[in-house]
Amino acid sequence: MNRTSIRCATVLVALAIVIFVPACHRSTPLELRTPAQRVAVYNGILAESVHAATEAAIGLERSGVLTRAQVLQVLEYTERVANSSKAVAVIQQTPRDWSVLAPQIRTVLNAISPPGDLARWLSATPEEANELSASLDAIQSTVAILIREVSK
């Protein structure tokens, strides 16, 4: 298992833990009580997912699985997501009420959408691209969770 696979697995495990921890009814130090706390954690997971997808895309280009054009498309998308993640972090540092911050964060997150043909060519790439596909799925899932959190 290479380093990128380990990072991808770590991101997916972290995402699963954060999703299922609130399902526990006992109060633990890991329990995130406010939407702002949950958004901060999910935003960290988003950043890790972006990093994993970027590393996977570059590795797949080096191994000849993906073309330069495909990798550039992934990198353009991950850069947009990374910039949005940074914007969410900056918004969260603003000393304002959550009712003011949440709509601002939602606006930033709603601007994130993968290129339309990304899914098409990923489904046509070799089995080795599954790692990249999983990383991109983790990005989209995390964005969806973040949008849900700021919409409450």
Side-chain angles (χ1 to χ4, degrees):
M1 189 179 267
N2 65 29
R3 190 176 77 189
T4 307
S5 297
I6 293 169
R7 181 176 292 280
C8 182
T10 302
V11 168
L12 294 175
V13 168
L15 181 61
I17 289 171
V18 170
I19 290 171
F20 295 115
V21 163
C24 297
H25 294 301
R26 63 186 179 141
S27 180
T28 67
L30 293 176
E31 189 173 337
L32 304 171
R33 297 179 187 271
T34 68
Q37 291 171 330
R38 290 189 295 273
V39 166
V41 171
Y42 295 140
N43 198 36
I45 292 170
L46 181 61
E48 284 295 319
S49 298
V50 166
H51 184 74
T54 300
E55 282 191 356
I58 291 169
L60 290 171
E61 180 191 19
R62 287 183 182 149
S63 65
V65 174
L66 296 179
T67 67
R68 181 87 169 150
Q70 291 171 323
V71 171
L72 289 175
Q73 189 177 14
V74 172
L75 295 180
E76 179 184 306
Y77 170 60
T78 57
E79 181 181 22
R80 282 195 331 262
V81 175
N83 289 337
S84 296
S85 178
K86 289 174 190 173
V88 167
V90 168
I91 291 169
Q92 280 204 285
Q93 292 175 1
T94 307
R96 290 194 178 149
D97 186 65
W98 180 249
S99 63
V100 174
L101 299 179
Q104 294 173 352
I105 293 171
R106 189 172 41 254
T107 300
V108 169
L109 295 172
N110 282 330
I112 301 174
S113 62
D117 54 347
L118 194 65
R120 187 191 81 237
W121 64 255
L122 268 179
S123 65
T125 57
E127 192 68 28
E128 298 152 330
N130 283 344
E131 180 181 320
L132 175 60
S133 182
S135 296
L136 294 172
D137 288 345
I139 289 171
Q140 284 306 110
S141 297
T142 306
V143 168
I145 291 167
L146 280 163
I147 290 172
R148 189 176 66 228
E149 281 298 326
V150 296
S151 297
K152 290 181 178 179

